[in-house]
Amino acid sequence: IRSKADAGTSMSVLDSAAIRGMLSQLDDRWATYYGVGNDAGAVDSLQALLDGRYSGLGIWLRRADSGSRQVVVASVTAGSPAARAGLQVGDEIVAVDGQSVAGADTDAVAAALRGPSGSNVRLQLAETSGARRDVALARVDLPASPVSTQLLTPQIERIRIATFAKGVGADVAADVARARKTGVQAFVLDLRGNPGGLLDEAVRTASVFLNGGPVVSLQGRSVPFETLNASRGGDTTTPLAVLVDGGTASAAEVLSGALSDRGRAVLVGSKTFGKGSVQQVTHLSDGSVLELTVATYTTPDGAKVDGVGITPDVRVAPTESPEVAAERAVAILQALIADRN
């Protein structure tokens, strides 16, 4: 007797469908299954991204909101192919190379966008204005570190973190040490559009500005209550402002929440995304990968973030130009520098 699987549907496809069906019944909107075969590329691309080695277009992605299946641009790397083509934060990715990505996971869309340097990809976008347009981009090798710096004034430096990939904490520490030697007296930490990444790197970055003490507390069904602390010896005196917005999520909310609760920084911008959970990646024996939420987290003051987000100290409407929040942060830091002097 020939089964339906023998007639054209492989058992691996049926297994993947069954697992995804089971995951859809869980109360875990971040649960993801990567089957062997085509899904392997998504796993490899995600790992490369977290390792800080990748080629692509220079954009970071997120869900449009906490309950949406739309994937939108969370941030655009300056000087990247995406920036030169005019992609904007909030633009929805509708199709990649003519294939609709409706309902696809963020990681799967990101994997489709990445590829060998020099290769081309066609995107269909739904802009925030409602207009649709097609754009062709060439992938390029992108910087190993998602950390970039810019002097806003002779005394104030902006440190932009696009995502928390491997090595980010060390890069921020090196940037702060270098800048202070050149006369910088305050920092703007720009976490707008940062979708998160490695929790350990967020804690290491917090350690640059804290002298020990709590950064985040975790608790889950199989995860006992645990508090992750900053390392001792961080810079606790240089004035600091943190820029956040609706694209600031996950590990980026861990960092901004810790610096705010500990009284170390002034938060400027709009309310953050509200992803206060931690996912664990499990590699199964057949080569497939399962990603499940294992814990939720709270800030040092015990505030929950999941589904709530973090409200900044100084609010700037999300409809304002990005430079408005930066200008507010600079004004605050200039006042703090004047008070110190």
Side-chain angles (χ1 to χ4, degrees):
I1 299 174
R2 286 177 59 84
S3 68
K4 185 176 180 180
D6 295 332
T9 304
S10 70
M11 287 303 300
S12 63
V13 171
L14 294 175
D15 288 343
S16 295
I19 293 172
R20 288 191 171 96
M22 286 187 286
L23 292 181
S24 69
Q25 300 303 306
L26 298 177
D27 186 21
D28 183 358
R29 59 193 174 95
W30 306 109
T32 307
Y33 174 72
Y34 302 97
V36 294
N38 292 336
D39 285 346
V43 178
D44 293 341
S45 297
L46 179 61
Q47 188 59 54
L49 181 64
L50 293 177
D51 287 344
R53 49 178 178 84
Y54 66 101
S55 63
L57 308 176
I59 58 175
W60 305 91
L61 305 176
R62 63 172 174 84
R63 291 288 182 204
D65 57 53
S66 60
S68 174
R69 296 292 289 174
Q70 295 174 319
V71 175
V72 300
V73 176
S75 65
V76 182
T77 302
S80 67
R84 292 192 294 271
L87 270 69
Q88 300 289 326
V89 171
D91 287 350
E92 180 190 353
I93 309 297
V94 177
V96 178
D97 284 333
Q99 297 295 313
S100 171
V101 294
D105 293 323
T106 305
D107 292 337
V109 178
L113 297 182
R114 291 189 290 271
S117 180
S119 62
N120 297 318
V121 62
R122 290 182 296 111
L123 305 183
Q124 184 180 79
L125 305 171
E127 298 179 332
T128 53
S129 64
R132 294 208 174 196
R133 70 172 174 128
D134 294 332
V135 59
L137 301 172
R139 300 177 177 97
V140 298
D141 289 326
L142 294 167
S145 173
V147 179
S148 58
T149 62
Q150 176 190 10
L151 272 179
L152 299 179
T153 77
Q155 297 176 313
I156 300 173
E157 180 173 278
R158 170 161 52 189
I159 301 176
R160 164 90 176 117
I161 306 177
T163 190
F164 286 97
K166 185 177 180 181
V168 161
D171 287 345
V172 172
D175 285 334
V176 167
R178 171 198 50 75
R180 293 191 65 193
K181 290 179 181 178
T182 62
V184 168
Q185 298 183 43
F187 294 97
V188 174
L189 191 60
D190 194 344
L191 300 180
R192 291 176 296 183
N194 185 320
L198 298 173
L199 179 61
D200 288 348
E201 291 297 335
V203 175
R204 291 187 180 100
T205 304
S207 299
V208 178
F209 303 103
L210 297 171
N211 183 28
V215 174
V216 63
S217 295
L218 309 174
Q219 188 166 23
R221 293 173 183 165
S222 58
V223 178
F225 184 83
E226 177 184 14
T227 296
L228 303 182
N229 294 309
S231 299
R232 299 189 65 82
D235 175 0
T236 61
T237 59
T238 302
L240 178 66
V242 179
L243 300 180
V244 297
D245 65 6
T248 305
S250 195
E253 290 176 290
V254 167
L255 177 58
S256 55
L259 295 176
S260 177
D261 281 7
R262 298 283 303 277
R264 181 62 186 89
V266 177
L267 266 57
V268 180
S270 53
K271 191 175 182 180
T272 64
F273 182 78
K275 182 179 182 293
S277 59
V278 179
Q279 285 68 49
Q280 182 179 67
V281 175
T282 302
H283 295 265
L284 305 180
S285 60
D286 65 349
S288 59
V289 174
L290 190 62
E291 186 175 15
L292 294 173
T293 298
V294 295
T296 57
Y297 69 77
T298 55
T299 67
D301 283 351
K304 293 183 178 180
V305 176
D306 203 41
V308 179
I310 298 172
T311 300
D313 304 298
V314 178
R315 301 187 190 184
V316 177
T319 54
E320 293 279 6
S321 164
E323 287 312 304
V324 171
E327 290 167 0
R328 297 270 181 88
V330 167
I332 291 168
L333 293 175
Q334 286 174 329
L336 292 173
I337 291 172
D339 285 344
R340 290 177 52 149
N341 296 334

